Amino acid sequence: MQEKVIFYIILSGIIALVLALFQYVYKSKNRSKTTWMLTFLRFFSIFLVLLLLINPKFNKVSYFDEKPNLIIAVDNSESIAYLNQDQNVAELIERLKQSTELNEAFNVEYYSFGKSFREVDSLNFDERQSDISQVFDRLSEVYSNSVSPTVLISDGNQTFGNDYQYLTNRFKQSVFPVILGDTITYTDLRIEQLNVNRYVYLKNKFPIEIIATYSGNSNINTSLKITSGSTVVYSQPLTFSKTKTSEIVSFTLPANRVGIQSFKAEIVPIENEKNKVNNVKDFAVEVIDQKTNVAIVSDILHPDLGAFKKAIESNQQRKAEILNPNTFLNQSNDFQMIVVYQPTNSFKQVFVEINRLKLNSFIVAGPKTNWSLLHQNQNHFKQQVTLQKENYLPVINQNYNTFIIDALDVENFPPITSEFGELSFSVPYQTLMYKSVNGTQLDEPLLVTYEIDSKREAVLFGEGIWKWRAQNYLDQKSFNSFDNFIGKIVQYLSSKQRRTRLSINYESFYNGNDDVKITAQYFNKNYEFDANTNLNIQIKNKLTNATTTYPFVLKNTNYEIDLSGLEAGDYDFTVSASNANVASSGSFKVLDYNVEQQFLNANVEKLTNVAENSNGNAYFIDNTANLVSDLVSDSRFKTVQKSSKKIVPLIDWKYLLGLLVLSLALEWFIRKYNGLI
């Protein structure tokens, strides 16, 4: 407490004493015990009032015990059940929950992981993929500032994501893996990886690459067969030995008919091979007879051009070329769509050619745009030219309903640069993105689409979209969300189909471990999104003729259904609205492949490396008796007594107000009782 405050407190006491003596003792002839009692009460009341006015602050120190956290992360993927370890895991979890000394020494938190990472409520071992790397990513975000040893209960087999054994350098906690599965090495042949393009073109040959591996000590001869239905379309003999454990097989197959072509790759199993599931892998390609060619026309160099090209060509059905205006004019008949990037004086003939060919266009207008030329060659919108730049952040219009857009998280996207000034339209348009400045959303479009006289156009008012693609990768470790977003716009601009009241978005085939999701949009007769209807999908298995109906779930301006539990096979479906005679049909294929059934053994080496790199210990599921005692006795994980120091102002002490009221009330009662009032 400062000396100045102490001085004021002493001064307050003197003032309170002087006033009390003056009121009750000074010139008083009757100095009885009652008088001195009243003097004290008056002194106490005045002193408390003055003390509250000064409001001194005190340090309040409290002590508490902080236990370390213990994280139990359990592999909930199908491979655990496939390796017959689900019962062992359940018994281990129950023992940990029932351990009194473990729960007294730690704050125990339970999580499960597979394709996603979440707090565990129950374990069913039905996750179709496993990403162990996300365990360390997520836990490092939550427990970075605490002591939190982690028990990783897993077989160590990862089907996607970053290699988890190298993440312990960033994960600052000790890891104690509990290794699930058989550690005996069996003789095994498997298709380690199969690479093939999703789309191919009619009358072309498409490449296939297969990596075949062998675990064993003997010399063996086998063969690789590729079949389509009952027909063998390719075969090749393979030879493996103790020293030759893998072989890469590359070949091509012809695409002779349009549609989905399904194939099966199989390595002929050897005698007494335990796991034959990983010898076979189904795959498919979709044969198409045309490709959308997109011209990206610009006479300036800018990173946006590369971002557009990469995003457009992320779908193999599309090809994009970056051209200057003169080159485009010589090749204009080769393209079905054009991206006009910041048109300048050299674009006059480009607009003439666009109108002649009736090409759909995506105009990007930024600070380098010649607005006079742009206004002369189209009358759909007009930008006030102020020769001033402004940075705008994007805000997705959740009510956009021209086509289905996939979720794109733009919260962390950097701003793009545009012309400052009023923007006006002379045609009906749909806003896909709004402008935002300093956290305030403006009623001005940043990205729009519209249809005029059977032509479709999109306009982006700003340059710097390459930053969005880069930020998308930083946020999600993938360009997919951004590329899909641009792809949807290109698909809309490339399509000549008339707009329908019920539009459906789905893939022609799904790999066995992919999410089978179908999205739809339903519009009323005025083509306004209708969120009050019930959409149902009727699915028919072509082989068994079994029919099942499921309802769609409304998500923002989309209806969505997740059919990931479907068995492998060919399906027809019909989506219909309950309140109107509107329906749409299609078909898709689910390939038979379960990546979680490709493993025979636990990955002991990786899990042991994780333990060693993080100063932990590895345990086998059959030898976990010492796990609890090792954790409890480890000196690194002891309960720590900590103190918390708070500065508390006197006015926050409520009891002081009670004492003041009590003192004044008691003084009044004594005076009333003695007839002094």
Side-chain angles (χ1 to χ4, degrees):
M1 191 180 298
Q2 298 179 357
E3 295 180 358
K4 187 177 181 181
V5 176
I6 296 175
F7 171 76
Y8 285 143
I9 293 174
I10 295 173
L11 182 60
S12 299
I14 295 173
I15 293 173
L17 182 60
V18 170
L19 290 175
L21 292 173
F22 177 78
Q23 291 177 331
Y24 285 107
V25 179
Y26 181 66
K27 293 183 180 180
S28 175
K29 296 180 180 180
N30 182 16
R31 297 183 181 180
S32 62
K33 291 182 179 180
T34 301
T35 303
W36 290 109
M37 176 62 73
L38 292 172
T39 302
F40 172 76
L41 292 173
R42 180 57 59 92
F43 159 77
F44 188 68
S45 299
I46 296 173
F47 179 70
L48 287 182
V49 171
L50 295 175
L51 201 60
L52 289 172
L53 292 175
I54 298 171
N55 193 25
K57 296 177 176 60
F58 300 91
N59 293 330
K60 181 181 179 181
V61 180
S62 57
Y63 297 91
F64 61 94
D65 293 334
E66 183 177 274
K67 295 193 294 186
N69 301 305
L70 178 63
I71 311 304
I72 311 293
V74 187
D75 192 335
N76 194 39
S77 62
E78 289 183 347
S79 64
I80 304 302
Y82 184 69
L83 295 175
N84 298 318
Q85 296 296 319
D86 47 341
Q87 185 62 36
N88 291 335
V89 173
E91 292 174 358
L92 175 60
I93 295 298
E94 187 62 27
R95 289 203 308 270
L96 295 177
K97 289 182 177 180
Q98 297 298 326
S99 174
T100 304
E101 57 179 336
L102 190 68
N103 288 280
E104 288 179 352
F106 296 94
N107 295 316
V108 186
E109 301 286 344
Y110 292 88
Y111 295 89
S112 69
F113 64 91
K115 191 168 185 179
S116 58
F117 180 79
R118 60 174 67 91
E119 288 190 46
V120 66
D121 47 4
S122 62
L123 295 170
N124 42 30
F125 307 104
D126 62 350
E127 295 270 359
R128 300 174 67 84
Q129 293 200 39
S130 54
D131 180 8
I132 304 178
S133 64
Q134 66 178 325
V135 175
F136 302 111
D137 283 337
R138 300 289 179 84
L139 293 180
S140 61
E141 296 174 0
V142 179
Y143 299 99
S144 59
N145 297 321
S146 62
V147 178
S148 305
T150 301
V151 176
L152 180 68
I153 305 174
S154 174
D155 58 9
N157 294 314
Q158 180 171 325
T159 60
F160 77 106
N162 298 322
D163 194 334
Y164 65 89
Q165 70 174 324
Y166 301 110
L167 295 179
T168 51
N169 296 328
R170 294 194 311 234
F171 188 63
K172 303 303 180 183
Q173 311 292 347
S174 297
V175 182
F176 297 81
V178 175
I179 303 172
L180 305 173
D182 198 344
T183 59
I184 300 174
T185 301
Y186 296 94
T187 300
D188 185 49
L189 285 168
R190 64 181 292 177
I191 296 177
E192 185 72 30
Q193 189 169 334
L194 190 152
N195 299 320
V196 64
N197 293 332
R198 187 180 184 93
Y199 302 100
V200 298
Y201 298 98
L202 186 64
K203 298 181 180 180
N204 284 353
K205 289 188 175 182
F206 57 94
I208 302 171
E209 181 183 71
I210 295 176
I211 302 175
T213 61
Y214 166 69
S215 299
N217 298 318
S218 305
N219 296 333
I220 65 164
N221 295 313
T222 183
S223 63
L224 170 69
K225 296 191 301 182
I226 308 297
T227 58
S228 178
S230 59
T231 304
V232 177
V233 296
Y234 180 85
S235 65
Q236 178 176 325
L238 301 176
T239 301
F240 296 100
S241 65
K242 183 178 180 180
T243 56
K244 183 188 177 184
T245 59
S246 66
E247 185 169 344
I248 299 176
V249 182
S250 299
F251 55 95
T252 60
L253 292 177
N256 297 323
R257 58 182 177 83
V258 175
I260 300 174
Q261 293 191 24
S262 301
F263 301 89
K264 177 184 288 187
E266 180 182 6
I267 300 177
V268 177
I270 57 178
E271 187 178 357
N272 299 324
E273 186 173 354
K274 184 176 181 180
N275 185 4
K276 299 180 182 179
V277 175
N278 57 13
N279 291 46
V280 180
K281 185 169 185 180
D282 291 325
F283 66 97
V285 296
E286 184 174 359
V287 181
I288 53 180
D289 61 356
Q290 63 178 352
K291 190 171 189 176
T292 301
N293 290 323
V294 180
I296 305 174
V297 183
S298 173
D299 63 356
I300 63 174
L301 296 177
H302 198 281
D304 282 355
L305 303 177
F308 274 113
K309 180 176 173 63
K310 290 289 187 181
I312 293 170
E313 292 186 340
S314 65
N315 187 323
Q316 296 178 22
Q317 298 181 69
R318 305 186 184 107
K319 180 181 179 182
E321 292 187 48
I322 301 175
L323 308 169
N324 60 43
N326 291 332
T327 306
F328 167 74
L329 292 174
N330 294 330
Q331 306 176 14
S332 59
N333 291 319
D334 297 337
F335 302 100
Q336 289 79 48
M337 191 202 125
I338 180 173
V339 176
V340 181
Y341 188 80
Q342 299 206 60
T344 57
N345 290 330
S346 58
F347 274 73
K348 185 174 182 179
Q349 290 302 316
V350 172
F351 284 107
V352 173
E353 192 71 1
I354 290 173
N355 292 329
R356 184 182 73 84
L357 297 174
K358 296 184 178 180
L359 287 177
N360 293 341
S361 59
F362 187 172
I363 299 174
V364 181
K368 300 179 183 64
T369 300
N370 185 327
W371 289 102
S372 297
L373 176 73
L374 190 55
H375 291 158
Q376 291 172 8
N377 287 276
Q378 60 81 37
N379 56 5
H380 304 150
F381 62 88
K382 188 172 183 180
Q383 169 72 56
Q384 180 186 8
V385 181
T386 62
L387 301 180
Q388 297 182 26
K389 299 179 181 179
E390 182 62 84
N391 291 327
Y392 295 105
L393 291 169
V395 178
I396 293 286
N397 178 16
Q398 299 296 339
N399 296 318
Y400 181 81
N401 57 30
T402 301
F403 54 85
I404 299 175
I405 56 174
D406 296 326
L408 181 66
D409 185 6
V410 301
E411 182 178 351
N412 296 324
F413 277 17
I416 62 175
T417 306
S418 182
E419 183 79 13
F420 175 77
E422 184 179 353
L423 183 64
S424 59
F425 282 82
S426 59
V427 297
Y429 66 94
Q430 286 279 339
T431 301
L432 206 161
M433 283 183 174
Y434 286 104
K435 295 177 180 178
S436 175
V437 177
N438 296 327
T440 302
Q441 179 180 324
L442 307 179
D443 192 21
E444 294 184 17
L446 182 64
L447 175 59
V448 302
T449 60
Y450 51 84
E451 299 181 29
I452 299 295
D453 298 330
S454 75
K455 277 188 61 179
R456 296 177 173 180
E457 292 190 2
V459 187
L460 173 66
F461 296 96
E463 70 170 17
I465 199 171
W466 68 271
K467 301 175 187 176
W468 293 359
R469 191 168 189 264
Q471 187 64 49
N472 182 237
Y473 183 84
L474 292 176
D475 292 342
Q476 301 184 8
K477 304 297 185 294
S478 169
F479 297 113
N480 290 344
S481 295
F482 176 86
D483 291 351
N484 291 339
F485 178 76
I486 297 297
K488 289 289 186 180
I489 299 175
V490 173
Q491 181 182 9
Y492 163 74
L493 295 174
S494 303
S495 175
K496 300 296 183 181
Q497 294 180 354
R498 294 183 59 188
R499 192 176 181 185
T500 62
R501 291 179 58 188
L502 179 60
S503 59
I504 306 172
N505 183 35
Y506 66 99
E507 299 288 346
S508 54
F509 68 90
Y510 298 88
N511 291 315
N513 286 87
D514 289 347
D515 292 332
V516 183
K517 291 186 177 180
I518 298 177
T519 55
Q521 279 189 325
Y522 177 74
F523 306 97
N524 60 25
K525 293 182 179 180
N526 295 323
Y527 286 97
E528 298 170 336
F529 180 74
D530 188 349
N532 297 318
T533 193
N534 293 320
L535 289 186
N536 296 303
I537 182 170
Q538 186 181 70
I539 300 175
K540 180 182 179 181
N541 188 310
K542 292 183 180 180
L543 179 64
T544 64
N545 289 324
T547 302
T548 312
T549 302
Y550 302 97
F552 277 81
V553 176
L554 179 64
K555 290 188 175 181
N556 296 325
T557 57
N558 293 342
Y559 290 90
E560 183 180 288
I561 188 168
D562 189 345
L563 302 171
S564 299
L566 287 178
E567 296 180 354
D570 294 292
Y571 294 88
D572 291 327
F573 70 87
T574 300
V575 178
S576 58
S578 60
N579 58 352
N581 188 23
V582 178
S584 182
S585 300
S587 62
F588 62 86
K589 182 182 185 70
V590 179
L591 300 179
D592 185 13
Y593 179 68
N594 190 330
V595 69
E596 291 292 333
Q597 294 183 0
Q598 306 302 304
F599 307 104
L600 272 173
N601 308 97
N603 198 325
V604 179
E605 182 181 357
K606 279 192 176 184
L607 291 175
T608 303
N609 289 339
V610 167
E612 292 176 353
N613 294 338
S614 64
N615 296 318
N617 294 317
Y619 302 83
F620 290 97
I621 187 63
D622 297 328
N623 187 25
T624 57
N626 297 327
L627 174 61
V628 172
S629 59
D630 289 349
L631 289 170
V632 173
S633 61
D634 197 318
S635 59
R636 295 173 297 172
F637 315 135
K638 294 298 182 182
T639 299
V640 178
Q641 187 179 70
K642 292 188 175 182
S643 62
S644 175
K645 183 179 179 180
K646 294 182 179 179
I647 298 177
V648 182
L650 186 66
I651 200 169
D652 288 348
W653 196 45
K654 300 177 181 178
Y655 297 107
L656 203 62
L657 182 61
L659 289 174
L660 177 60
V661 173
L662 180 62
S663 176
L664 292 172
L666 190 58
E667 181 185 356
W668 180 86
F669 179 78
I670 293 173
R671 293 186 57 172
K672 183 73 173 177
Y673 183 79
N674 290 278
L676 299 176
I677 297 179

